[in-house]
Amino acid sequence: MRSQTAWTPTPDPSPQGGGEQSVTIAGAAFVADLSGALYWEDERLLVVSDLHLEKGSSFAMRGVLLPPYDTVATLGRLGAVIARFNPATVIALGDSFHDRDAHGRLSPANRDILTALQARRDWIWIAGNHDPDLPCDLGGSVAAEVAVGTVAFRHEPTGACGEIAGHLHPKARVSRRGRSIERRCFAGDGTRVVMPAFGAYTGGLNIRDAAFARLFGGAAFTAHVLGDNRLHAIAASRCC
């Protein structure tokens, strides 16, 4: 059974739930998944953010050599979560591609994978700051933002009620028993959430950064940290 939480701070940084947790955002029930995706069962809608496809090839063009496997790894993880939830709609919350030309560097094999993932479902690309001019030949549709009922999906968070956004790549650092670990996380307070970056090569911004304090009015929000085998619900004020 999925554990239930409403993105409120918890007093104990111990693990809660497992690979999925039921959460409420502006009155709508979502599943936060260990992969970093959100699923809205009532709408059969899957949300992912900041895929940053072709980041490895972008770095290679600048002389920074990284293993060129980030796109296939990211699409593989995305395929697994799509197979599990079988959504009718997928929303990618911007920065799906690492730069303006990254979609042109997709290999034929990776284009085929993307086409297969889009088959028999609606696919919405939200424009991001890295990929503001997405082409029409990627499949699906392109939008600046999308509203469904009480929930708005956009790339850059504004702090508005009912907002699901990305862009900031939230990470939480937790110290316990003399150890410090840092992992990607969802950051939310029941009315809005910032999603973790889904891409294989994406970095992150610590949730104690001032950017999050401005969104949430301080540290009164929860980090749902992506652990090895489960999500950990931890009050942001207990993170470092």
Side-chain angles (χ1 to χ4, degrees), residues 211-222:
F212 292 98
R214 286 192 294 269
L215 287 174
F216 296 107
F221 63 96
T222 301

Side-chain angles (χ1 to χ4, degrees), residues 106-121:
L106 283 173
S107 68
N110 286 336
R111 284 185 178 272
D112 289 344
I113 292 171
L114 186 55
T115 298
L117 294 180
Q118 294 174 326
R120 299 178 301 281
R121 58 180 49 91

Side-chain angles (χ1 to χ4, degrees), residues 126-207:
I126 301 294
N129 57 297
H130 279 253
D131 53 3
D133 301 309
L134 291 163
C136 58
D137 64 353
L138 287 172
S141 59
V142 178
E145 59 182 62
V146 173
V148 180
T150 61
V151 181
F153 302 89
R154 58 177 59 98
H155 178 59
E156 296 193 30
T158 66
C161 180
E163 176 179 81
I164 296 178
H167 182 60
L168 293 180
H169 301 198
K171 279 190 173 183
R173 182 183 297 118
V174 181
S175 294
R176 199 174 189 199
R177 295 172 183 158
R179 298 179 57 227
S180 179
I181 61 170
E182 186 177 58
R183 295 291 180 88
R184 304 181 195 195
C185 69
F186 298 89
D189 64 357
T191 59
R192 61 191 65 79
V193 63
V194 181
M195 293 188 60
F198 197 88
Y201 280 178
T202 50
L205 181 66
N206 191 295
I207 59 168

Side-chain angles (χ1 to χ4, degrees), residues 7 21 34 43 51 65 84 87 117 122 124 141 156 170-172 185 235:
W7 297 103
Q21 288 187 347
L34 186 60
E43 299 289 338
L51 304 178
L65 299 183
R84 214 151 23 87
L117 294 180
D122 293 327
I124 302 172
S141 59
E156 296 193 30
K171 279 190 173 183
C185 69

Side-chain angles (χ1 to χ4, degrees), residues 24-86:
T24 300
I25 304 168
F30 287 79
V31 172
D33 188 71
L34 186 60
S35 66
L38 273 178
Y39 183 60
W40 191 355
E41 191 167 6
D42 288 348
E43 299 289 338
R44 291 191 60 206
L45 190 157
L46 184 77
V47 191
V48 291
S49 188
D50 295 273
L51 304 178
H52 283 269
L53 299 174
E54 292 301 311
K55 183 173 182 176
S57 64
S58 179
F59 272 61
M61 291 171 63
R62 289 177 280 159
V64 180
L65 299 183
L66 293 173
Y69 308 122
D70 58 305
T71 294
V72 69
T74 299
L75 292 178
R77 291 174 54 240
L78 183 56
V81 75
I82 286 175
R84 214 151 23 87
F85 289 106
N86 190 26

